[in-house]
Amino acid sequence: MNRIQTQSEWINRARDVLPGAGFGNFDPGIVIREGKDARVWDEDGKEYVDFLIGSGPMVLGHGNAEVQEAVFEQIPRGMTFFANNSLGIELAEEICRAVPCAEQLRYVSTGGEADMYAMRLARAFTGCDKIVKFEGGYHGMSAEAQMSLAPSRMVNFPQAVPDSAGIPQSVADEVLVAPFNDIEFLRSLLDEFEGQVAGIIIEPLQRIVPPEPGYLQAVRDEATKRNIVLIFDEVVTGFRFSYGGAQEYYGVTPDVCTLGKVIGGGFPLAAIVGRADIMAHFDKSIVGEEGWLMQLGTLSGNPVAAAAGLKTLEILRRDGQNERFQNLGKSVMDAVRKALEPTGHPYQIVGEPTLFDVLFIDHKVRDYRDTVAADKKLNATFNEVLRREGVFKAPAKTYPCLALTETDLHLTADALQVAAEALT
Ligand SMILES: Cc1ncc(COP(=O)(O)O)c(C=O)c1O
């Protein structure tokens, strides 16, 4: 007979077979047993309001009945084919309708892959090698993306510093790192490397830091003027900030964007989308052998993921959903503010209603270096008490979801009060 195992037993088992006792993603000191709507339970049965929601994909909450039904309908018909399938084609059509820059789409399985190909695509299109990325910007795990992702040593811009072992210097030489929200720096960098830059890759909301008014448009203008491919990494913001993503939310259209998380409805699916003349580099019959970007993947366009994604998008575009989502996020933000205001600690709520977090700092946060300057001890205590009080979140992000109920919001507000009191 199967004996129920405690969380600490699972943690011990993980220690034997997983380096660092985990999957590499999250604190291995918690093992999640199950999720339903905006709640998760750990292996000891402790219940949490979930503001991690799978690091973003479960925008509808866990176990949405309609998404399950769509998935269960597909599973008996086949779980993967490698060949084209109608659900994958329909999802591509829907994404191209929704996302302003999307004329064509190529599937991959993860956001990091999408970003890797987007940068390669910019190189294929322009014939240039260099990529501009922003310090602290996250674009997955490729060698380029690992440059100055979370550096502890602040070097002079535009020097790129790898955040991982195993990356050759030659990659760092092709990446130019700039501070987010500093258009003057970007202009002078692009002047200096005129004719050498293939692409600029940017998170429109960098982690949780919003672009200052006019900044994204100014980046857009510089890229246009210099024939550089502008890539928005919308792996997080796509279908979350609004149905058309951050490009619709902020009103600036890139040449190419990457999507992941929400479009797979909780299954592994991501995509590179963009202007048809750029996407043509995935098609040898148009660009020829020399210009062709070879790309394939076993699970690309997986029909189960596409079924989940299609249903998720259908639910998201129903009347009033976006407004409801924005309002839910705003009420969580208000609860954070209400809890922290009496503490007297300087703090900033950084981000947008559907993705934000708290930083304990006394000035407006513009870029990665500001986030590093925030008080880490206060942040750690705050998050630790929240976890103890039944709020599950990542250390630097709060992801609201559409399944949050009034009861979830009350429980969250109570936990926030206790966490805030623990800071004094
Ligand atoms: C902005 C951004 N880009 C890319 C990725 C990588 O996506 P994945 O984990 O699916 O590879 C993430 C993951 O969180 C992300 O936040």
Side-chain angles (χ1 to χ4, degrees):
M1 200 174 85
N2 256 352
R3 192 173 65 81
I4 292 175
Q5 305 225 324
T6 63
Q7 178 156 257
S8 59
E9 285 171 314
W10 280 112
I11 291 168
N12 283 336
R13 286 174 66 171
R15 222 171 255 137
D16 286 342
V17 288
L18 304 174
F23 302 154
N25 288 339
F26 197 78
D27 171 10
I30 186 164
V31 183
I32 296 297
R33 188 188 72 200
E34 63 184 291
K36 181 74 190 115
D37 301 324
R39 305 274 176 106
V40 286
W41 289 262
D42 69 19
E43 285 289 350
D44 287 338
K46 183 172 162 63
E47 184 172 337
Y48 304 84
V49 182
D50 187 9
F51 289 95
L52 179 64
I53 54 160
S55 191
M58 307 317 294
V59 68
L60 305 176
H62 298 282
N64 178 279
E66 291 177 83
V67 176
Q68 281 192 55
E69 198 185 321
V71 166
F72 291 154
E73 203 175 299
Q74 179 54 37
I75 284 177
R77 295 183 178 160
M79 292 184 231
T80 202
F81 304 121
F82 198 63
N84 277 7
N85 62 79
S86 60
L87 289 169
I89 295 169
E90 272 185 53
L91 179 61
E93 285 173 343
E94 182 51 36
I95 291 171
C96 288
R97 266 194 294 274
V99 178
C101 80
E103 290 176 353
Q104 290 201 320
L105 172 151
R106 175 56 64 94
Y107 286 120
V108 288
S109 298
T110 68
E113 268 180 280
D115 287 331
M116 177 190 79
Y117 285 119
M119 288 185 264
R120 193 175 293 169
L121 184 62
R123 288 174 169 149
F125 182 71
T126 59
C128 300
D129 283 341
K130 295 207 186 296
I131 298 289
V132 172
K133 91 170 275 288
F134 296 86
E135 188 180 49
Y138 184 55
H139 308 292
M141 291 289 132
S142 69
E144 282 94 340
Q146 284 293 301
M147 293 301 159
S148 304
L149 159 59
S152 48
R153 192 166 57 89
M154 302 305 165
V155 298
N156 289 337
F157 297 112
Q159 190 190 332
V161 184
D163 278 314
S164 166
I167 299 178
Q169 180 58 38
S170 55
V171 178
D173 294 343
E174 300 305 342
V175 178
L176 302 168
V177 174
F180 189 65
N181 268 330
D182 185 343
I183 195 64
E184 287 312 320
F185 182 90
L186 183 68
R187 280 195 189 114
S188 63
L189 182 68
L190 297 176
D191 283 345
E192 187 181 341
F193 290 90
E194 188 74 56
Q196 298 176 58
V197 176
I200 299 172
I201 187 163
I202 187 166
E203 288 181 271
L205 173 103
Q206 184 171 291
R207 310 282 67 215
I208 52 169
V209 183
E212 290 185 341
Y215 175 68
L216 289 177
Q217 186 58 53
V219 175
R220 168 70 282 178
D221 294 344
E222 290 303 317
T224 305
K225 195 166 81 189
R226 300 166 193 266
N227 296 317
I228 293 169
V229 176
L230 178 60
I231 305 161
F232 276 8
D233 180 336
E234 292 234 41
V235 170
V236 164
T237 52
F239 294 95
R240 167 171 286 276
F241 272 33
S242 70
Y243 194 67
Q247 52 198 279
E248 184 175 79
Y249 187 81
Y250 293 124
V252 178
T253 306
D255 301 304
V256 168
C257 91
T258 54
L259 297 164
K261 304 204 189 246
V262 171
I263 66 164
F267 291 84
L269 192 77
I272 309 113
V273 306
R275 269 170 39 196
D277 60 330
I278 302 177
M279 297 296 288
H281 285 268
F282 289 121
D283 183 348
K284 201 192 321 190
S285 75
I286 298 177
V287 295
E289 193 84 52
E290 284 291 297
W292 183 48
L293 195 169
M294 183 175 182
Q295 192 287 320
L296 52 80
T298 301
L299 294 174
S300 300
N302 176 272
V304 180
L310 265 173
K311 186 53 77 176
T312 301
L313 299 198
E314 184 195 314
I315 297 170
L316 286 177
R317 65 176 181 273
R318 286 180 190 156
D319 275 356
Q321 284 291 57
N322 186 254
E323 198 188 342
R324 201 167 75 76
F325 197 17
Q326 299 291 334
N327 287 338
L328 279 169
K330 281 181 197 154
S331 27
V332 184
M333 278 178 150
D334 287 346
V336 174
R337 211 170 283 120
K338 193 167 163 220
L340 285 175
E341 208 56 54
T343 67
H345 286 292
Y347 73 93
Q348 305 279 323
I349 298 176
V350 185
E352 303 285 0
T354 58
L355 175 57
F356 63 90
D357 209 19
V358 178
L359 288 175
F360 293 95
I361 190 166
D362 62 4
H363 60 269
K364 193 160 177 265
V365 174
R366 294 184 75 220
D367 61 16
Y368 171 73
R369 293 187 189 193
D370 286 337
T371 63
V372 172
D375 190 321
K376 287 173 201 58
K377 259 176 79 182
L378 284 179
N379 195 274
T381 307
F382 193 61
N383 283 322
E384 196 183 302
V385 179
L386 282 177
R387 171 93 62 94
R388 200 186 64 210
E389 294 297 312
V391 166
F392 188 54
K393 69 181 281 294
K397 276 187 175 178
T398 303
Y399 273 115
C401 76
L402 273 157
L404 284 167
T405 61
E406 280 299 315
T407 313
D408 296 326
L409 293 174
H410 284 308
L411 288 171
T412 304
D414 290 348
L416 284 163
Q417 289 293 342
V418 180
E421 276 157 28
L423 304 179
T424 50

